[in-house]
Amino acid sequence: MSAVTFYTYPSCTSCRKTKKWLSAHSVDVQERHLFRETPTRQELLNLLSMTSEGLDELLATRSRTFKSLNVSVDEMPLSAVVDLIIEEPKLLRRPILTDGESLVVGYNLEKLRSLTKKKQAMKYTG
């Protein structure tokens, strides 16, 4: 199992709460600044493949950035949406955490606990 990648933005309240929680639970992460180290096309496709709700799970549709685009992503091909996210990473909800198999979007304690338990079990059995 790979390490946990933590896509974050320091000014984001949910990111700070998640980082504090991860630290308190001794979860090792590879932290990536979401806007300086934007996920690549392949990373975005991998993240999308782990969602249960597709783009709706990853896009920050209530953000000013999204609203200012004045586009319907439902009518766009996936490749165009991915290009748009790469150009404008503020379109992504945050934080985003993944171990390559599981995905946590936003500050979601239940999913964070699940990810932590899985990582701890791997430490003890692996």
Side-chain angles (χ1 to χ4, degrees), residues 21 50 52-53 57 102-106 108-117:
W21 192 92
M50 290 181 261
S52 57
E53 301 169 29
E57 195 168 335
S102 302
L103 181 69
V104 180
V105 180
N108 183 325
L109 279 177
E110 183 180 325
K111 287 187 176 184
L112 284 172
R113 286 184 184 114
S114 176
L115 185 67
T116 302
K117 286 179 185 174

Side-chain angles (χ1 to χ4, degrees), residues 58-71:
L58 290 179
L59 288 178
T61 56
R62 295 184 298 178
S63 72
R64 280 185 279 193
T65 303
F66 185 85
K67 289 177 182 177
S68 72
L69 291 175
N70 218 12
V71 297

Side-chain angles (χ1 to χ4, degrees), residues 4-8 15 18-19 29-32 95-97:
V4 175
T5 302
F6 176 38
Y7 295 98
T8 184
C15 294
T18 300
K19 186 173 182 172
V29 296
Q30 291 178 317
E31 192 169 333
R32 287 184 50 188
I96 299 172
L97 291 98

Side-chain angles (χ1 to χ4, degrees), residues 56-107:
D56 290 340
E57 195 168 335
L58 290 179
L59 288 178
T61 56
R62 295 184 298 178
S63 72
R64 280 185 279 193
T65 303
F66 185 85
K67 289 177 182 177
S68 72
L69 291 175
N70 218 12
V71 297
S72 174
V73 294
D74 295 333
E75 296 174 12
M76 296 172 67
L78 180 61
S79 61
V81 176
V82 170
D83 288 341
L84 193 59
I85 293 169
I86 291 169
E87 289 174 33
E88 195 58 70
K90 288 183 180 182
L91 294 173
L92 289 170
R93 289 182 60 208
R94 44 198 180 266
I96 299 172
L97 291 98
T98 183
D99 63 1
E101 297 171 12
S102 302
L103 181 69
V104 180
V105 180
Y107 181 67

